[in-house]
Amino acid sequence: MNITAFRIMGILIFMTAGIVLTGTALEWLAFSIKFLLHNSFTSISVFHSFPQPIGGVNALFFAGCAFGILSSQPDDRGSHRKRKGSRGAMLRNLPGMAYRCLHNSDWTMEYVSEGCLELTGLSCDDFIVTRSRSYESLIHPDDREMVRQTVSDAVARGVIFELRYRIITASGDEKYVDERGAGVYDENDDLIYLEGFISDATAKHRMEQQLRETNQLVHAVFHASPLAIVALDRNAHVIMWNASAERLLGWTAEEVISKPYPALPDEDVETFDQYYQRIVEENAFTNSHRKRKRKDGSLIDVFVHTAPIYDQAGETIGIVAILEDLSDKQRMEEEKQSLKEQLLQAQKMEALGLLAGGVAHDFNNLLMVIDGYSEMALTKIQAGDALYHDLIEIKKASERAAVITRQLLTFSRKQVSQTTTLSLNDVVSGTIKMLRRLIGEGITIHTLLDPGIGPVKADLGQIEQVIMNLAVNARDAMPKGGSLLLETVSEWITEPAPERGFPISPGRYEILIVTDTGHGMSKEVAQRVFEPFYTTKARGKGTGLGLSTVYGIIQQNNASITLASEPGKGTTFKLYFPSAERNDSISTNETSDRVAGGAETILLVEDDETVRTITRRLMRDKGYKVIEASNGKEAMRMLRQHESTIDLLMTDVVMPVMNGVDLARRIREQRPGVKVVFISGYTDYHLELFNAAGDLGPLLIKPFSPSKLYRAIRKALDGS
């Protein structure tokens, strides 16, 4: 190629650069001609080295400048200084270092532009004149082999080399540089030297590193998000689809990327285009409750949050949508509402229990008076007297009323546990009347009681509550009526029987069986039926506490419970009570005249005047000397006034001024030999106080009959 062709090529390149940079070709044409008149060209290879922008300015400009400069360099080093001034202004503006070097071990520089000083800290003279440093020595030791190998490979293949590496400047700073260059060959295709351009890429590398880290963070957040995230382009084709979207909607990313958004229900397909275009055109941020289709065709409720996606020019190129699954949220809200209702129901039941317990407590005191006076009257009337039978009926009514109050206390859970030896047959027979009122006329109650059943040790009130709870559960399972069977049997179990549902040890058991003809329950329901607050009833129809209470009572009484049920075939509960020893006598209503009295002195402390009066009369009728007080403070005064021996303290547990436990302790401190019997009604607070009393004395539960009172007194005084 002759010199004219080179000059034309140079003009065209400068024109192109000028058009790209300013769009004014004539100005660049004039400048190019002037530049070319002062320079001769020997090579054009370097023109092909810079087709891409460098540092934000079109590289053709720098390529043209570097081409003219490099190709005009004489071999005489002395002339290097002479020509320096004529091109200094141009080279000084280059944002980097243009170079020509030999392809040897040191990359010996034949030419470098003045940008080398800012880039490396070394001047042109350091590279060209004194050669105090080689460019190869500036390359970071860890990168030298990579640079040499990359350049050698490109030269061997006759292609452009591009690479980024680190250099150590003269001041010791580390910089990242971008180098782009190529080999220059003679007419025989033999390599003469390398020409290229090196620019500072430290800031660019830092930005790229930050961008990579940001992209990694965004990628991690995108895929780790528990919410489904979907991005669509302007045509509503999927461009992003995270793992949560896969889980929520069913499609994998591979199935939907670059394809139309698949999760639209059929009824939303027509309106979606308008909705989507409004978001794109108006740059709208939206939040709406929508239905979306899953891969299996099912519909789910989601809350959709959308935002536009912008390009660098600020134009909307798509949208990103976050889909919040409302099914879990709705389920949580329903569970929250259910728990709230259960709590309100429990509070209501607690309030009813407090009311029932308070009524029963006051009623118990009245029953004590009725029962006490009727029994005293019976001892003074002959059996043939007309009033005798009337008094018997009054006493029977009082005993029946005591059963009702005990059941009220059981309902309110204020009944103090009293383990006694009893017959399951008697318990069942005693609850039949109440069960008939409880479950209504639409359900027939049958009993099948084994006359040979043995005694068990349990709390009477608690077992009555178990029967009532099971009956209520059976009633709810038979809304259209049915039958309820209560059965008792004895059974010897010779081996552990885990298949019964609960561990039952070998031995003899007295079994209470409750069977209904209701709708039954599934295996899954049966596994959870004893859990607190678990219920299959409609909202507001049950607390979920009935069967859990049954289970708690059974455990408390050292018994076991099993159930057998199938949908549509009713339910059977079996309650296994360990058989009591045959020599344990079953509780009976022993008459008061069969219990011995005495002449000991008793200090009676009771804040209820009617209870205190009847108790005093009953004790005096048996020969006891009674000193009475209405509270603890008065009792201590009586103690000081009566220096004679006080054999027994009978005190209510809860009283104003001083409770019975503290009173008993103070009296014991002054008179250690005094025996103690506590009397109380029902509350948990009473029981806590009594438990705090330790071994001070036994507890007699109101209402108590005269015979129970007499037995408690004699047992305490006799030490039995």
Side-chain angles (χ1 to χ4, degrees), residues 52 97 458 479 493 529 549 668:
Q52 300 298 327
M97 182 179 82
I493 296 177
V529 76
T549 300
R668 278 280 184 88

Side-chain angles (χ1 to χ4, degrees), residues 51-88:
Q52 300 298 327
I54 298 177
V57 182
N58 195 285
L60 289 173
F61 171 73
F62 303 117
C65 293
F67 173 83
I69 294 169
L70 296 179
S71 301
S72 64
Q73 299 307 308
D75 294 335
D76 181 15
R77 293 181 187 170
S79 64
H80 174 78
R81 293 190 183 90
K82 297 177 183 178
R83 304 301 297 236
K84 184 175 181 180
S86 64
R87 55 181 180 270

Side-chain angles (χ1 to χ4, degrees), residues 16-284:
T16 306
I19 292 169
V20 172
L21 289 172
T22 67
T24 307
L26 291 176
E27 294 178 5
W28 279 99
L29 177 60
F31 175 81
S32 301
I33 294 172
K34 181 179 179 180
F35 185 86
L36 291 169
L37 289 175
H38 291 85
N39 295 277
S40 60
F41 295 83
T42 59
S43 173
I44 198 167
S45 299
V46 74
F47 283 117
H48 305 292
S49 303
F50 304 95
Q52 300 298 327
I54 298 177
V57 182
N58 195 285
L60 289 173
F61 171 73
F62 303 117
C65 293
F67 173 83
I69 294 169
L70 296 179
S71 301
S72 64
Q73 299 307 308
D75 294 335
D76 181 15
R77 293 181 187 170
S79 64
H80 174 78
R81 293 190 183 90
K82 297 177 183 178
R83 304 301 297 236
K84 184 175 181 180
S86 64
R87 55 181 180 270
M90 174 64 70
L91 298 178
R92 200 174 296 115
N93 291 325
L94 290 178
M97 182 179 82
Y99 70 88
R100 174 189 291 160
C101 70
L102 300 179
H103 184 44
N104 57 18
S105 60
D106 294 330
W107 284 309
T108 303
M109 292 295 175
E110 295 294 316
Y111 169 79
V112 292
S113 66
E114 292 186 12
C116 66
L117 181 60
E118 182 178 356
L119 181 67
T120 68
L122 299 175
S123 66
C124 296
D125 288 347
D126 292 328
F127 285 110
I128 306 299
V129 179
T130 65
R131 299 192 186 278
S132 59
R133 294 285 298 273
S134 67
Y135 185 76
E136 189 269 346
S137 67
L138 298 179
I139 300 175
H140 194 287
D142 294 341
D143 295 348
R144 287 174 188 167
E145 182 59 33
M146 179 273 294
V147 173
R148 184 168 298 282
Q149 188 64 45
T150 302
V151 172
S152 297
D153 289 347
V155 168
R157 292 185 289 116
V159 297
I160 295 171
F161 54 84
E162 294 180 279
L163 66 162
R164 177 175 293 175
Y165 54 91
R166 293 168 292 172
I167 63 171
I168 306 298
T169 67
S171 62
D173 296 331
E174 181 178 293
K175 290 184 178 180
Y176 280 89
V177 297
D178 282 337
E179 180 176 356
R180 180 180 175 90
V184 178
Y185 306 85
D186 61 17
E187 55 190 14
N188 296 321
D189 288 334
D190 293 328
L191 178 66
I192 305 174
Y193 40 73
L194 303 176
E195 289 182 348
F197 193 82
I198 303 172
S199 60
D200 188 349
T202 304
K204 182 179 179 182
H205 180 82
R206 186 181 302 114
M207 291 178 61
E208 290 175 350
Q209 180 65 25
Q210 292 174 349
L211 181 60
R212 279 192 296 270
E213 293 174 355
T214 301
N215 287 340
Q216 291 172 355
L217 176 61
V218 171
H219 185 272
V221 172
F222 178 73
H223 286 288
S225 171
L227 299 177
I229 303 177
V230 175
L232 309 178
D233 63 16
R234 289 190 66 92
N235 298 317
H237 287 191
V238 178
I239 55 177
M240 297 179 73
W241 189 274
N242 74 346
S244 293
E246 293 183 353
R247 290 190 294 269
L248 178 64
L249 300 173
W251 288 278
T252 64
E254 291 76 12
E255 292 175 308
V256 297
I257 293 296
S258 301
K259 296 178 181 178
Y261 183 51
L264 292 176
D266 295 339
E267 60 270 20
D268 287 356
V269 172
E270 294 183 1
T271 60
F272 179 75
D273 289 340
Q274 298 176 355
Y275 165 75
Y276 186 78
Q277 290 305 319
R278 182 176 68 85
I279 296 176
V280 172
E281 293 171 3
E282 299 178 7
N283 295 333

Side-chain angles (χ1 to χ4, degrees), residues 471-618:
V472 169
N473 188 74
R475 178 199 64 190
D476 294 340
M478 299 181 288
K480 297 181 180 180
S483 62
L484 176 65
L485 172 64
L486 293 104
E487 182 181 2
T488 59
V489 294
S490 290
E491 181 179 348
W492 278 96
I493 296 177
T494 57
E495 295 180 358
E499 71 278 358
R500 297 176 184 267
F502 291 90
I504 299 175
S505 302
R508 174 170 172 163
Y509 289 86
E510 314 305 333
I511 305 171
L512 172 61
I513 306 171
V514 181
T515 303
D516 65 62
T517 58
H519 51 60
M521 64 185 80
S522 66
K523 182 179 180 180
E524 292 74 20
V525 172
Q527 289 174 342
R528 301 187 59 192
V529 76
F530 294 115
E531 295 179 10
F533 296 111
Y534 178 76
T535 179
T536 58
K537 299 174 185 176
R539 183 174 296 178
K541 297 296 184 179
T543 63
L545 295 172
L547 292 180
S548 66
T549 300
V550 168
Y551 179 72
I553 290 175
I554 291 300
Q555 294 293 100
Q556 185 178 346
N557 285 271
N558 298 318
S560 299
I561 183 170
T562 68
L563 71 90
S565 183
E566 291 183 29
K569 295 185 179 181
T571 302
T572 297
F573 290 92
K574 288 188 176 183
L575 286 62
Y576 292 78
F577 295 88
S579 183
E581 298 294 332
R582 283 293 183 175
N583 56 6
D584 286 347
S585 59
I586 296 177
S587 299
T588 59
N589 292 324
E590 183 180 6
T591 58
S592 59
D593 56 355
R594 296 182 181 180
V595 183
E600 292 89 347
T601 300
I602 300 174
L603 175 57
L604 173 63
V605 189
E606 167 63 58
D607 60 323
D608 189 297
E609 184 178 359
T610 57
V611 175
R612 187 173 69 250
T613 299
I614 185 61
T615 305
R616 180 193 67 223
R617 288 193 59 179
L618 289 172

